[in-house]
Amino acid sequence: MTASRSAPPFPQGFLNDVVAVESIAAVPTILDVVCRTTGMGFAAVARVTEDRWVACAVKDDIAFGLKPGGELDLETTICHEIRQSGVPVIIDHVADDPTFCEHHTPAKYGFQSYISMPIVLPDGTFFGTLCAIDPKPAKLNTPAVVGMFKMFADLIGFHLDANQSLASRTAERDLYENIVQSHAEPICVFDKAYRLIAFNKAHNDEFFRVNGFYTKIGDVFPDLFIPEQAAAMRANMARALAGEAYTVEAVFGRAEFGQPCWEITYTPLRDAAGTIFGAFHQAHDISARLRAEAELRDAQDVLRQSQKLEVIGQLTGGVAHDFNNLLTVIKSSTYLLKRPDLAEDRRTRYIEAISNTVDRAAKLTGQLLAFARRQTLKPKVFAACDSVRSLSEMLGTLTGSRITVVTELPANACFVNADPSQFDTALVNMAVNARDAMEGEGQLTIRVEPVEQMPSVRAHPAVQGPFVAVSISDTGSGIAKDVVERIFEPFFTTKAVGQGTGLGLSQVFGFAKQSHGEVVVDSEVGRGTTFTLYLPRVLGEIQAPEPSEPTPVPSGRGTSVLVVEDNVEVGTFATQTLAELGFGTVWAANAAEALAELAKDADRFDVVFTDVMMPGMNGVDLAREIQRLHPDLPVVLTSGYSHVLARTGTNGFELLQKPYSVEQLSRTLQAVAKPARRKRIGDV
């Protein structure tokens, strides 16, 4: 709901009217009581003439947009009709009201409930209206509500006409007392000595309910409470007596009566000269609301736990399904390899099937670790634009000829510090998802741009700073809202069986998070989807690519390796494999044994090859200790998963990911060991 306003220059008379209403101390309370009693979100006192509608006082909880002094076009309101007729207008529900269901005012300002009471001065002069609106229906046409509005309108009219004489102040207090006494919420007035000087029936009834006795005029109010509550009440009252208007939540009452929680609004009272002579508070028991909120939180916690268990079950089932498929291939191939009459070409085929299946299993594990943000990244500074440019041709082949791939790249390179391999994988995964959403036909747009903020997403606040935004947009079918919340879950997929693993987008999610970035999805059913990957932007130059590995497997003859591995099967395999390649090996089952071997004679080893995850000292800490004790002895780490590596990285040590091939093991050890050996030999 937004008010449309015109703003011609104010005549002095209207300014005086606004000031006159603002000088009535009771008006803010009246508007607050109106909203609290009716549930309406907007209430105002308006000055209405034959050609102007001006707001003099406003309570706006629905962002209607009016402030004191603001105007509405008179002809767009109902108030000019009330001015002509002098009759109030009450509408519980515009849509059901035969008189106003087609009226232009509700349609223009978007309200469903409305009440407006004429404010007439004691001499019969029409001043304006006390009105309230809300976009929701409300029960207004009752004697209590209409009577309350009539009393408030009369009160305002009386104040506007009254002078500062004692008679008018006495009449004002009497009328206000009638209003306050009829109010259902506790209201009490106190002087600067904390003594009660007035209160309504609801106040005394509620005080008795929670304390077991009644109050009386002249009581020092804080002294009526138990000691710990007395101090809090005195402090609250002191703030109001010092001139502060505020609302506080606090527990008051005695334990045997339940000690409800109250929302209490404090307002100072001033005389005609502006001097504070007391204050009043209005209380509202919010215990039921707080209990309902607590029950809702508990229910939400139960729901979240149930959802977590569902995701874990889905993840476990997906992992079991995919790994059982892979193990089936391996088991079948090993069985066939045992046949004595197996032809050589078939033997080769079965061996290749096992090797390829192991690669697929390693990829599956990598995607799971990516989602869990536990993969070991190898970040480098590279230009996102260059990577997108080099991938675009391959993506065109991947998506097919009926999908047009468009790239929109800025002039600057947009450097990021991330794992370039995982970055490429993330782009491919998003592109494949877009291709499938378009069913092989449409346009895929890849856009790279520097931005200065990562937006708020999934309850995380926006993050200021330099980022690179890489977005992939498609013209596909879009994603339903109930699906968007789950698309990054591992093994969640809307594709048919056999057409997707449900791990592609989970890799993108994990890579973004582990790279201190984010991935955001914006989708509309029938209009397409945009995935945007945010990565921190850095300054720097592109790091030179690593030289390609030679094809021949280097011999390990003459190279001595200290193997540190706590798993017996892996340790046995590693030492036997290295021995067959010509390496000399010594096997230590943990870090303590490894350090003991080095203490005997570290110069007999050319390189240490250690697992990361071990009981006691882990491999990274062992490598640091070796670096400290034997600076010239290189260390190679190996791991299939490590929270240590995911949290701190490799600390500069070479890393060989499990599962590794014999060729990778030999090349890595030789590449690290040879330069170090030459250095030591040259120093002799």
Side-chain angles (χ1 to χ4, degrees), residues 570-592:
V570 177
T572 301
F573 172 79
T575 52
Q576 289 177 350
T577 300
L578 290 172
E580 290 184 7
L581 293 175
F583 290 86
T585 62
V586 173
W587 179 15
N590 52 54

Side-chain angles (χ1 to χ4, degrees), residues 454-467:
M454 189 165 63
S456 172
V457 61
R458 290 182 288 275
H460 298 295
V463 179
Q464 299 295 326
F467 289 90

Side-chain angles (χ1 to χ4, degrees), residues 228-244:
E228 59 269 25
Q229 294 176 6
M233 178 58 73
R234 187 175 292 271
N236 289 340
M237 296 169 73
R239 287 174 61 184
L241 292 169
E244 184 178 356

Side-chain angles (χ1 to χ4, degrees), residues 233 267 285 466 475 540 551 571 637 645 649 659 678:
M233 178 58 73
T267 305
D285 186 347
T475 57
T551 301
L637 304 174
L645 294 178
R678 284 197 297 270

Side-chain angles (χ1 to χ4, degrees), residues 547-564:
S548 59
E549 295 177 342
T551 301
V553 179
S555 170
R557 192 169 304 281
T559 302
S560 179
V561 184
L562 175 59
V563 178
V564 189

Side-chain angles (χ1 to χ4, degrees), residues 562-642:
L562 175 59
V563 178
V564 189
E565 172 61 66
D566 65 304
N567 185 281
V568 176
E569 290 81 4
V570 177
T572 301
F573 172 79
T575 52
Q576 289 177 350
T577 300
L578 290 172
E580 290 184 7
L581 293 175
F583 290 86
T585 62
V586 173
W587 179 15
N590 52 54
E593 290 185 14
L595 292 173
E597 287 289 343
L598 293 174
K600 296 177 185 177
D601 181 13
D603 289 338
R604 60 194 168 118
F605 297 110
D606 298 300
V607 62
V608 176
F609 180 52
T610 177
D611 191 16
V612 173
M613 293 296 291
M614 295 186 297
M617 181 184 290
N618 64 56
V620 176
D621 290 340
L622 172 62
R624 290 200 197 100
E625 184 66 7
I626 293 173
Q627 190 177 56
R628 185 183 70 84
L629 297 173
H630 312 287
D632 294 335
L633 183 59
V635 179
V636 174
L637 304 174
T638 183
S639 179
Y641 156 71
S642 171

Side-chain angles (χ1 to χ4, degrees), residues 187-199 203 207 215-216 218-225 229-248 250 252 264-269 276-283:
I187 298 174
C188 76
V189 186
F190 48 90
D191 63 16
K192 300 189 74 170
Y194 305 96
R195 295 188 299 261
L196 293 175
I197 57 177
F199 49 77
H203 163 83
F207 191 90
T215 61
K216 62 182 182 297
D219 281 342
V220 178
F221 195 49
D223 294 349
L224 303 179
F225 294 89
Q229 294 176 6
M233 178 58 73
R234 187 175 292 271
N236 289 340
M237 296 169 73
R239 287 174 61 184
L241 292 169
E244 184 178 356
Y246 69 100
T247 299
V248 67
F252 288 108
I264 310 175
T265 299
Y266 286 88
T267 305
L269 292 173
I276 295 175
F277 64 87
F280 74 93
H281 79 220
Q282 178 178 331

